[in-house]
Amino acid sequence: MCSSDLWFWGLLVGLLTLTIAGILRFRVRNLRSNERWLEILVKERTNALHEQQNFLRQVIDLNPNFIFAKDRLGRFTLANRAMAAAYGVTVDELIGKTDAAFSGRKEEIGNFLRADLEVLESNTERFIPEEPFTDKNGDLHWMQVTKIPLVASD
């Protein structure tokens, strides 16, 4: 191979290297720009979700009726202030716990759990014209209850 051939191949390799480096720099800048755009989008969507959650919290907390959801084990997954106040706790203290954590009335708690499971298993709404509920002070209240199955979409 003569020196002019080496010069040509050297120049060609150099130009290819510069071209590839330029393409990579362009792609990296483009990816960084997309990353910043996605971060902004995620932040906007997260803020919108928080606003919706806060609005829903206000709506259910303004309602004086008990609003709550439980899982199959009877643990509260959602509750409004009225429900929590009846047990003498905050909403945060109620979430994740069962009625048994706040009441010693085993028959009452058993009836709650049986009715809850019946609704979940049958996937059918159930109206209970009179259901006893004992509050934090031990006072017995009779309540009209509608239990509606709430099934999360997978």
Side-chain angles (χ1 to χ4, degrees):
M1 217 183 253
C2 71
S3 65
S4 63
D5 286 344
L6 288 175
W7 178 84
F8 171 76
W9 288 111
L11 180 62
L12 185 61
V13 168
L15 287 174
L16 283 173
T17 302
L18 288 174
T19 302
I20 291 171
I23 291 170
L24 290 176
R25 271 196 303 270
F26 174 77
R27 296 280 294 145
V28 167
R29 264 188 270 134
N30 196 15
L31 287 172
R32 287 186 179 142
S33 174
N34 286 342
E35 180 183 29
R36 285 188 296 273
W37 178 78
L38 287 172
E39 286 172 352
I40 290 167
L41 187 60
V42 166
K43 188 174 184 173
E44 288 172 355
R45 299 271 169 93
T46 301
N47 288 340
L49 179 60
H50 286 296
E51 287 175 15
Q52 290 174 356
Q53 288 173 329
N54 290 336
F55 178 73
L56 177 60
R57 171 57 49 200
Q58 287 178 334
V59 168
I60 68 171
D61 282 342
L62 287 172
N63 191 317
N65 297 300
F66 293 172
I67 298 175
F68 61 90
K70 295 179 184 178
D71 64 14
R72 287 189 175 276
L73 299 176
R75 295 178 300 211
F76 288 94
T77 58
L78 172 81
N80 67 345
R81 279 192 204 140
M83 180 75 238
Y87 277 136
V89 296
T90 66
V91 170
D92 289 336
E93 292 169 328
L94 187 62
I95 301 300
K97 301 206 175 59
T98 66
D99 293 290
F102 306 102
S103 173
R105 305 207 29 134
K106 293 184 190 293
E107 183 179 339
E108 189 176 284
I109 295 165
N111 289 337
F112 292 162
L113 189 54
R114 273 190 296 283
D116 293 345
L117 288 174
E118 181 183 303
V119 167
L120 287 173
E121 289 170 5
S122 68
N123 201 28
T124 306
E125 181 177 319
R126 180 171 178 204
F127 175 72
I128 303 169
E130 287 188 334
E131 182 174 63
F133 173 80
T134 306
D135 67 17
K136 67 181 179 203
N137 300 320
D139 296 330
L140 181 64
H141 303 270
W142 290 92
M143 308 182 77
Q144 251 184 17
V145 178
T146 302
K147 296 184 183 246
I148 301 169
L150 179 63
V151 181
S153 60
D154 292 330

